[in-house]
Amino acid sequence: MMEATPATTTTAAADDCCVKVAVHIRPLIGDEKLQACKDCVAVVPGKPQVQLGTHSFTFDHVYGSSGSPSSAMFEDCVSPLVEGLFQGYNATVLAYGQTGSGKTYTMGTGFKDGYQAGLIPQAMTALFNKIESLQDQTEFQLHVSFIEILKEEVRDLLDTKSEISSNGQNGKVNLPGKPPIQIRETSNGVITLAGSTECSVKTLKEMSDCLEHGSLSRATGSTNMNNQSSRSHAIFTITLEQMNKTISNDSMCDEYLCAKLHLVDLAGSERAKRTGSDGMRFKEGVHINKGLLALGNVISALGDEKKRKEGAHVPYRDSKLTRLLQDSLGGNSRTVMIACVSPADINAEETLNTLKYANRARNIQNKPVVNR
Ligand code: ADP
Ligand code: MG
């Protein structure tokens, strides 16, 4: 894959310069209905405002419990990020929330299953539509990687026996003794994943195969919160490279652009004490909290404008998650956090925690930079 050349700063509309935060409230589901839970999360009509007890929070967008991730959510939150890729902006979509709040449902795991309306499949479709419309002027290359971070270790979700056809990379198997995947930073600040599978994809089908295959490989663990509890951060990354076929003098286009979109299904945000964990499981819980804690601290450091102007330290290095997202969170990027919540009264405490965390994220100020 070609290496991006040094980044240069451009100005962007004020609207582009902050992290967008949306809240997605799923409907009451099976268990909650059986327990006759009450809906305790109210949406203020006509406003992106959520009320929980005496607390009230305003976000960029709020999506009520009317079912699957709608095309409106995609248009509002993710479509601008896909468009931005074509101008060289990195982007990150983060799904945050307690286990069972609908993160995976919102992000989607492919076209075949019940999650087909998810944001990732919609992003893929939009990406390929745009590529098709620009193919005459521009040559595109697409790569995807899919990793998870579990217990502060990076695991390749694509590096197993696979059916993926991608430049002869199919048929890969997990090799015993393979060196661990390492997060590296190039001299111009680009974060790379050394040792992870990067699949070159040419079609929507190839890309969705990667998503489906990796989603199946994702590790899950059992806790008393939810027996399908996801204890890892899963990061599906699409890298788009563009080479202009014709460069004319009056064209403002660049010869080469490279940008990536991280689609992140974060680990459950619930605290370790609620999982009733111990032993190994507890260790996993502690590590997962480390990633989310670091993400919160990075977000907080980025949001403190005064400190940022003074060149304050942003603690990206405190976790693998923040290290990996370093060049796509706060700098060369557009970021959207989708805070997923359950409406059920039994989850009110965790829902409040999620709303507070998401509210804090709204203060991040990004300074978009274009990779040229
Ligand atoms: P998480 O990934 O946050 O642990 P899931 O995405 O697995 O949560 O969702 C938990 C359960 O809730 C699943 O059974 C899922 O199908 C259901 N669910 C989540 N969001 C919705 C929604 N918007 N509409 C209907 N069911 C949903
Ligand atoms: Mg999940």
Side-chain angles (χ1 to χ4, degrees):
M1 198 184 106
M2 284 172 77
E3 196 66 4
T5 46
T8 50
T9 312
T10 61
T11 46
D15 192 38
D16 292 333
C17 293
C18 59
V19 170
K20 295 264 184 275
V21 180
V23 172
H24 188 206
I25 310 158
R26 66 154 168 74
L28 288 168
I29 53 169
D31 254 12
E32 295 166 344
K33 283 187 190 159
L34 284 176
Q35 292 180 56
C37 292
K38 295 270 178 311
D39 185 335
C40 69
V41 183
V43 181
V44 178
K47 288 188 182 167
Q49 210 174 327
V50 176
Q51 271 172 335
L52 176 61
T54 56
H55 302 269
S56 173
F57 301 93
T58 301
F59 297 96
D60 295 294
H61 304 281
V62 175
Y63 304 96
S65 50
S66 58
S68 55
S70 61
S71 59
M73 190 196 293
F74 173 76
E75 289 305 326
D76 296 338
C77 298
V78 184
S79 174
L81 277 55
V82 174
E83 289 289 322
L85 281 182
F86 291 85
Q87 289 135 34
Y89 293 104
N90 289 347
T92 301
V93 181
L94 301 157
Y96 181 93
Q98 78 179 111
T99 298
S101 60
K103 297 180 296 300
T104 305
Y105 188 96
T106 302
M107 295 307 278
T109 54
F111 287 86
K112 283 186 202 140
D113 56 22
Y115 295 82
Q116 75 263 22
L119 296 174
I120 304 181
Q122 290 190 69
M124 290 177 179
T125 305
L127 185 68
F128 276 97
N129 285 343
K130 176 104 182 180
I131 285 176
E132 207 172 293
S133 74
L134 294 171
Q135 240 161 11
D136 291 345
Q137 311 100 292
T138 311
E139 192 184 317
F140 295 97
Q141 275 186 24
L142 282 166
H143 299 266
V144 297
S145 67
F146 199 3
I147 58 108
E148 69 174 348
I149 301 173
L150 181 67
K151 294 183 271 178
E152 283 299 279
E153 267 170 36
V154 182
R155 199 170 84 101
D156 194 340
L157 292 175
L158 297 178
D159 186 19
T160 51
K161 277 202 193 88
S162 89
E163 310 296 326
I164 301 155
S165 65
S166 52
N167 283 4
Q169 287 181 3
N170 33 347
K172 278 204 159 203
V173 285
N174 248 330
L175 298 172
K178 193 176 171 257
I181 296 169
Q182 286 182 340
I183 302 167
R184 298 209 178 123
E185 185 175 353
T186 67
S187 55
N188 46 31
V190 176
I191 301 292
T192 62
L193 268 178
S196 77
T197 306
E198 274 218 48
C199 287
S200 167
V201 292
K202 295 230 179 312
T203 63
L204 180 59
K205 168 86 170 69
E206 284 178 359
M207 195 182 272
S208 68
D209 282 350
C210 288
L211 177 66
E212 276 161 31
H213 173 78
S215 297
L216 286 174
S217 306
R218 192 175 174 198
T220 53
S222 277
T223 70
N224 56 19
M225 273 291 294
N226 181 321
N227 59 12
Q228 281 291 303
S229 166
S230 253
R231 314 194 62 78
S232 65
H233 310 292
I235 303 161
F236 186 77
T237 304
I238 302 171
T239 306
L240 176 74
E241 289 180 279
Q242 304 177 71
M243 277 72 65
N244 265 9
K245 286 176 184 167
T246 52
I247 308 158
S248 67
N249 286 342
D250 53 359
S251 161
M252 292 298 287
C253 293
D254 289 283
E255 195 182 349
Y256 173 76
L257 281 175
C258 177
K260 58 192 167 185
L261 172 62
H262 294 295
L263 298 139
V264 188
D265 185 353
L266 291 165
S269 59
E270 61 276 2
R271 281 108 189 260
K273 67 177 163 66
R274 284 202 62 184
T275 65
S277 305
D278 63 280
M280 275 305 288
R281 192 59 80 222
F282 181 72
K283 193 174 166 204
E284 287 179 22
V286 169
H287 277 290
I288 287 162
N289 285 345
K290 185 172 171 177
L292 293 178
L293 185 68
L295 181 66
N297 290 338
V298 164
I299 283 171
S300 172
L302 291 168
D304 192 328
E305 202 173 344
K306 187 165 163 281
K307 278 198 188 153
R308 219 168 21 85
K309 278 186 184 149
E310 290 162 3
H313 170 69
V314 180
Y316 289 110
R317 286 175 177 269
D318 286 1
S319 75
K320 290 272 161 62
L321 175 70
T322 47
R323 185 83 181 109
L324 181 63
L325 297 178
Q326 181 167 339
D327 66 357
S328 305
L329 193 66
N332 179 15
S333 72
R334 293 164 180 196
T335 308
V336 171
M337 177 180 283
I338 318 266
C340 298
V341 297
S342 151
D345 49 6
I346 52 164
N347 290 316
E349 189 189 337
E350 287 300 342
T351 296
L352 183 59
N353 286 338
T354 297
L355 296 174
K356 282 181 180 167
Y357 188 102
N359 195 47
R360 193 161 72 127
R362 277 196 91 208
N363 296 326
I364 301 187
Q365 300 293 314
N366 277 3
K367 282 185 288 183
V369 169
V370 175
N371 281 336
R372 291 181 194 276

